[in-house]
């Protein structure tokens, strides 16, 4: 497994950043290579990505979600192996630190080479920068889900 860790400060309150992040179907608007995310239920999302001309579809399951604090997920089934955690920390009333950590298993020569060259790290950093621009431009979230999901629950 390879790990990517990136963080960014966004100029919106904690609840605004967190609420927007729970709008998974908006991810294609700021995540490079993500073509579509369909929320299947409170825990599961179906993803379609296209990276370097390769389209993949897979499902993720939220395994731990604590409003205004964290969302942890993992892939289920399929050939994509990934798990991740995004956390939210208030810096003050108007600024939030967003930290993203992803463990993934590169599949095939192209993905292994991209990982070795730091391309995955740069993509995640770019995704966070686009999230920052996305939420700061609006100033308010487009929705939010405040439910609690507990591990094994």
């Amino acid at each position: 497994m390879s790990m990517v860790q990136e963080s960014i400060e966004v100029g919106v309150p904690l609840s605004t950043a967190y609420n927007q992040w729970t709008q998974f179907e908006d991810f294609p608007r700021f995540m490079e290579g993500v073509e579509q995310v369909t929320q299947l239920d409170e825990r599961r999302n179906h993803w379609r990505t296209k990276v370097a001309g390769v389209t993949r579809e897979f499902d993720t399951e939220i395994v731990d979600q604590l409003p205004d604090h964290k969302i942890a997920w993992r892939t289920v089934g399929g050939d994509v192996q990934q798990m991740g955690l995004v956390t939210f920390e208030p810096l003050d009333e108007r600024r939030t630190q967003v930290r993203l950590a992803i463990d993934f298993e590169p599949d095939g020569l192209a993905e292994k080479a991209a990982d070795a060259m730091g391309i995955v790290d740069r993509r995640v950093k770019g995704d966070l920068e686009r999230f920052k621009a996305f939420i700061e431009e609006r100033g308010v979230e487009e929705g939010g889900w405040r439910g609690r999901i507990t591990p094994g629950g």
Side-chain angles (χ1 to χ4, degrees):
M1 296 285 267
S2 291
M3 175 173 264
V4 175
Q5 294 182 348
E6 294 290 341
S7 67
I8 197 161
E9 178 184 310
V10 295
V12 297
L14 172 69
S15 62
T16 301
Y18 173 85
N19 286 342
Q20 184 60 55
W21 197 277
T22 67
Q23 300 306 289
F24 306 112
E25 292 185 353
D26 284 342
F27 281 8
R29 296 169 76 181
F30 59 86
M31 287 189 172
E32 184 180 350
V34 176
E35 292 189 332
Q36 183 178 22
V37 179
T38 304
Q39 190 158 359
L40 303 173
D41 58 34
E42 292 177 348
R43 285 185 175 266
R44 297 178 310 120
N45 293 292
H46 181 77
W47 294 65
R48 186 176 70 234
T49 62
K50 188 171 187 177
V51 178
V54 177
T55 299
R56 292 182 184 238
E57 294 199 35
F58 56 93
D59 292 338
T60 57
E61 173 188 39
I62 297 170
V63 294
D64 192 4
Q65 183 167 341
L66 179 60
D68 290 338
H69 185 63
K70 67 181 174 179
I71 302 170
W73 73 91
R74 66 178 176 194
T75 53
V76 289
D79 61 348
V80 175
Q81 294 182 29
Q82 180 191 101
M83 65 181 81
L85 173 69
V86 61
T87 61
F88 305 84
E89 179 183 341
L91 298 173
D92 60 32
E93 291 181 5
R94 295 182 177 175
R95 296 178 306 129
T96 303
Q97 187 75 32
V98 179
R99 289 186 175 89
L100 182 59
I102 302 173
D103 277 322
F104 65 98
E105 186 64 47
D107 184 37
L109 189 57
E111 285 184 15
K112 289 177 183 175
D115 180 35
M117 294 187 303
I119 293 171
V120 177
D121 296 62
R122 287 191 299 277
R123 175 167 283 179
V124 170
K125 183 174 183 164
D127 289 346
L128 285 177
E129 289 169 352
R130 284 183 293 278
F131 174 73
K132 173 183 174 70
F134 179 83
I135 191 62
E136 287 180 354
E137 179 180 306
R138 284 151 188 76
V140 296
E141 64 271 35
E142 294 186 352
W145 188 75
R146 315 266 322 150
R148 173 73 168 118
I149 296 175
T150 56

